[in-house]
Amino acid sequence: MSDKKPERRDFLFTASYAVGAVGVAAVVWPLVDQMNPDASVKALASTEVDVSSLKPGNTITVLWRGKPVFIRRRTQEEIAEARSVKMEDLIHPEKDEDRAKNPEWLVMLGVCTHLGCVPLNDKGDYDGWFCPCHGSHYDTSGRIRKGPAPWNMEVPKYEFVNANTIKIG
Amino acid sequence: MSDHEYTPKSKAGKWFNDRLPLLTLANHLTDYPTPKNLNYWWTFGGILTFCLITQIVTGLTLAMHYIAHADMAFESVEHIMRDVNYGWLIRYIHANGASMFFLAVYIHIFRSLFYGSYKSPREIIWIIGIIIYLLMMAAAFMGYVLPWGQMSFWGATVITNLFSAIPLVGEGIVTWLWGGYSVDNPTLTRFFTLHYLIPFLILGLVVLHIWALHVPGNNNPVGIDIKKPSKDTVPFHPYIVIKDGFALLMFMIVFAFFVFYAPNILGHADNYIEANPLVTPAHIVPEWYLLPFYAILRSVPDKLLGVVAMLSAILILAVLPWLDTSKIRSAVFRPLYKQFYWILVADVLILGYMGAMPAEGLYLLIARVATAYYFLHFLVILPVLGLKEKTIPLPLSITEPVLGGSPNMAMAKKKESKIE
């Protein structure tokens, strides 16, 4: 092969294989992409929640994109506890001020960042949440403090539409 | 194929066989020369074929009544259990059949480990077997999701989230697997499709597994190469067919015990609660046959490394023929390997038990030691043992240990000492 000079036929073979490969890829992509979230799933991207009945120290769980979202109206002690933590003590350092713009309200995905279980309220060594699956402890800001989870619970995009209504997404 | 040429007796048979040699194939399968010293540990290949066919037949019939939709799946399973004629029986056979399938495959795998059936020239049979085992785990996992109970839902969530450990693309892959932002209806329908497909892939691989087996022929408890056909072999039919059939009957008694007397003992009560994305059950535990790997996953404190360790624990088996440096196949002639073999069996059983217990305190410590030992066995003990171990001299044929005290044995021993 190597001592033979490439001829017209070799070029035609290579060109045919290349065109064939592009053709196969073009057919495979729709078959792969059909598994991604469809238009109807994407259309459910935002949810509005009435939080007027929530008292300090209460949490409600709502469903957003099939996932639970915790909305907690925090007590002054919880806020103080969350804000007094030193950054170097955190596994995934994030300021409570950045996680809860309005300190009274903590809105986050109720999904453990380890393998996706729903952590339990008011449990664990840090007065926040505890995941029963593999033992991750979260603090009053939803930050991971102990256990196998790598990150803090995610804060989704949300806003107060008015004083009583939170729009998630 | 058989060493002798086969010609069908009837004229019509000959006419057909000249055009499609199916009769030659059938003749090869019945006359296939088999070592005459195969023990009952060799009957699990036939038992596994039975398990696969049972799962396919019961699965097809269940699919006639099951509805793969997040709003209806749970109810349709209850409908099968209460309304469909013999639905309870078919579903219990299918659900317990999965456990029986894994029971048989573990015995089959550990038989290979004891008698060195994975060694040259049978590496391809072994690797195809490992691929079948991986597909079995995928099929079992996806099948467990279909009833859409709490364990279905949260098992699916935890296992698919394993992929999120992959750096950079992990989250994208999980969303792609789900077809959404959580386990939901699109996930259920694709799992149903794949659960339906995989058994037929396994069936195809089983054909390759048996084809690859029929090239060198069966290994045997003595683990030496034999001439075939010869006085050391018997034809597959009727000798092995009868032996396999008897073992299958014994196996079916165990199978029937679970189906009729303890159909839910291997399952979890939580799966009779419909899936609820807002509440996670207190203890998420996989089915018993996945517990050793679950224990390995949990014994590593880092998410990515835990997943890597779990996958390596399975994939390490595929390179086993090259990790085991000993040329002697059967553990009967390897006094040290035999001991390490039983330690490995105990280690895997301990891992299984730890996988069912909460991952904390002493349980976690034991799981970590057992995980370390598992890898030590394959990566250190096996390669070193093959070079250092002093093995027992092999007999010249499989007839020799049966007849006992034959002059060949003394000759063989003399030969051995001369070499040394």
Side-chain angles (χ1 to χ4, degrees):
Chain A
M1 273 301 270
S2 53
D3 54 339
K4 215 178 84 181
K5 247 182 85 178
E7 43 181 272
R8 220 166 73 105
R9 179 149 299 189
D10 293 321
F11 170 77
L12 284 173
F13 275 139
T14 310
S16 307
Y17 291 144
V19 171
V22 171
V24 168
V27 173
V28 165
W29 175 246
L31 294 175
V32 171
D33 191 45
Q34 55 84 21
M35 281 175 68
N36 272 316
D38 61 35
S40 73
V41 170
K42 284 182 186 159
L44 299 171
S46 76
T47 306
E48 289 194 6
V49 188
D50 180 7
V51 293
S52 57
S53 60
L54 230 64
K55 293 190 183 68
N58 283 5
T59 303
I60 55 167
T61 308
V62 297
L63 214 54
W64 172 66
R65 289 171 151 190
K67 278 181 178 163
V69 175
F70 294 151
I71 302 176
R72 184 169 179 91
R73 188 166 181 184
R74 297 191 295 183
T75 61
Q76 290 309 316
E77 298 86 71
E78 284 168 356
I79 297 168
E81 194 182 331
R83 304 221 151 168
S84 65
V85 176
K86 280 190 237 133
M87 281 301 116
E88 54 265 33
D89 293 341
L90 294 172
I91 295 166
H92 175 195
E94 268 186 322
K95 279 189 184 151
D96 184 63
E97 286 84 346
D98 297 332
R99 291 177 57 80
K101 290 268 167 6
N102 178 347
E104 221 186 336
W105 295 95
L106 179 64
V107 179
M108 63 186 181
L109 292 185
V111 175
C112 180
T113 55
H114 182 224
L115 294 174
C117 297
V118 181
L120 303 168
N121 265 328
D122 299 319
K123 290 250 165 59
D125 298 350
Y126 295 88
D127 307 315
W129 285 265
F130 172 71
C131 182
C133 291
H134 305 95
S136 293
H137 298 257
Y138 295 87
D139 66 11
T140 56
S141 186
R143 292 173 297 201
I144 179 66
R145 302 298 293 274
K146 198 171 116 186
W151 305 296
N152 303 333
M153 279 193 263
E154 191 187 335
V155 176
K157 214 178 109 208
Y158 69 92
E159 57 181 2
F160 277 88
V161 182
N162 55 51
N164 291 330
T165 313
I166 295 179
K167 184 182 166 198
I168 307 165
Chain B
M1 293 283 143
S2 308
D3 290 356
H4 60 278
E5 278 298 312
Y6 169 76
T7 329
K9 284 190 190 77
S10 74
K11 221 174 166 188
K14 196 179 172 321
W15 178 88
F16 181 83
N17 204 50
D18 286 344
R19 281 147 185 83
L20 178 65
L22 268 187
L23 295 171
T24 302
L25 179 66
N27 175 255
H28 160 76
L29 292 175
T30 52
D31 281 2
Y32 172 64
T34 320
K36 65 182 176 188
N37 60 338
L38 295 190
N39 58 29
Y40 275 106
W41 300 113
W42 258 266
T43 59
F44 282 86
I47 287 169
L48 283 161
T49 311
F50 164 81
C51 287
L52 178 62
I53 305 232
T54 305
Q55 290 307 86
I56 289 178
V57 171
T58 52
L60 283 173
T61 43
L62 286 172
M64 293 179 188
H65 305 279
Y66 172 78
I67 301 166
H69 189 283
D71 296 338
M72 286 177 275
F74 186 81
E75 260 179 63
S76 76
V77 171
E78 284 311 301
H79 162 72
I80 289 170
M81 294 302 288
R82 292 154 196 245
D83 304 336
V84 174
N85 301 329
Y86 293 106
W88 60 272
L89 178 65
I90 298 170
R91 176 163 176 261
Y92 277 155
I93 292 175
H94 195 73
N96 286 284
S99 281
M100 293 299 115
F101 207 154
F102 276 96
L103 176 68
V105 93
Y106 282 128
I107 296 174
H108 195 62
I109 291 172
F110 274 98
R111 188 268 290 152
S112 282
L113 293 181
F114 188 85
Y115 293 111
S117 302
Y118 50 84
K119 292 184 196 186
S120 173
R122 297 184 180 82
E123 301 95 323
I124 297 296
I125 313 174
W126 171 256
I127 290 169
I128 293 172
I130 296 300
I131 298 170
I132 293 174
Y133 175 51
L134 278 170
L135 283 175
M136 277 175 65
M137 288 199 271
F141 158 66
M142 288 194 253
Y144 196 57
V145 174
L146 303 184
W148 211 240
Q150 273 289 67
M151 277 293 172
S152 301
F153 184 89
W154 291 102
T157 301
V158 168
I159 300 295
T160 48
N161 261 307
L162 292 177
F163 291 91
S164 72
I166 303 168
L168 301 175
V169 291
E171 295 292 336
I173 289 176
V174 173
T175 303
W176 177 73
L177 288 173
W178 287 341
Y181 304 103
S182 63
V183 172
D184 210 332
N185 195 49
T187 326
L188 177 60
T189 49
R190 67 191 54 180
F191 276 21
F192 179 60
T193 310
L194 295 173
H195 182 71
Y196 208 122
L197 167 71
I198 289 173
F200 296 99
L201 296 181
I202 294 178
L203 192 64
L205 285 167
V206 166
V207 171
L208 294 184
H209 195 60
I210 295 172
W211 185 1
L213 168 71
H214 280 228
V215 176
N218 290 69
N219 184 29
N220 64 78
V222 177
I224 57 171
D225 290 323
I226 52 164
K227 267 199 217 116
K228 47 175 191 143
S230 72
K231 65 178 172 48
D232 281 345
T233 65
V234 289
F236 185 78
H237 182 77
Y239 297 93
I240 302 298
V241 170
I242 291 296
K243 188 165 185 153
D244 277 1
F246 179 71
L248 179 59
L249 272 177
M250 295 296 116
F251 184 79
M252 283 163 85
I253 291 173
V254 178
F255 199 143
F257 168 79
F258 281 107
V259 169
F260 292 105
Y261 294 95
N264 288 306
I265 201 164
L266 298 169
H268 297 284
D270 274 306
N271 221 28
Y272 282 100
I273 303 168
E274 191 168 1
N276 180 354
L278 294 179
V279 183
T280 306
H283 290 288
I284 296 189
V285 184
E287 294 287 83
W288 68 267
Y289 39 79
L290 301 176
L291 286 173
F293 300 109
Y294 192 59
I296 291 174
L297 167 75
R298 296 194 308 181
S299 65
V300 180
D302 181 84
K303 182 171 164 179
L304 177 61
L305 292 180
V307 175
V308 169
M310 185 183 67
L311 289 177
S312 312
I314 304 167
L315 295 179
I316 204 168
L317 293 172
V319 290
L320 176 60
W322 295 275
L323 289 174
D324 187 345
T325 49
S326 175
K327 293 279 177 283
I328 309 296
R329 294 196 191 99
S330 175
V332 171
F333 303 100
R334 299 183 62 191
L336 278 177
Y337 173 73
K338 200 194 257 177
Q339 292 173 34
F340 283 113
Y341 170 84
W342 288 111
I343 296 173
L344 180 74
V345 172
D347 187 63
V348 171
L349 290 175
I350 289 169
L351 277 173
Y353 183 74
M354 294 308 142
M357 294 294 118
E360 55 199 28
L362 190 61
Y363 294 129
L364 188 58
L365 183 69
I366 296 173
R368 282 182 177 160
V369 173
T371 298
Y373 183 80
Y374 182 91
F375 288 104
L376 192 75
H377 176 91
F378 289 107
L379 293 176
V380 180
I381 294 174
L382 283 188
V384 174
L385 205 58
L387 304 174
K388 299 278 176 201
E389 186 178 28
K390 190 165 162 24
T391 55
I392 297 167
L394 292 172
L396 294 178
S397 78
I398 61 175
T399 317
E400 211 181 273
V402 177
L403 297 177
S406 94
N408 280 359
M409 196 61 171
M411 268 167 60
K413 274 188 182 149
K414 220 182 273 170
K415 226 187 226 168
E416 194 85 10
S417 56
K418 241 182 229 163
I419 290 165
E420 279 170 19

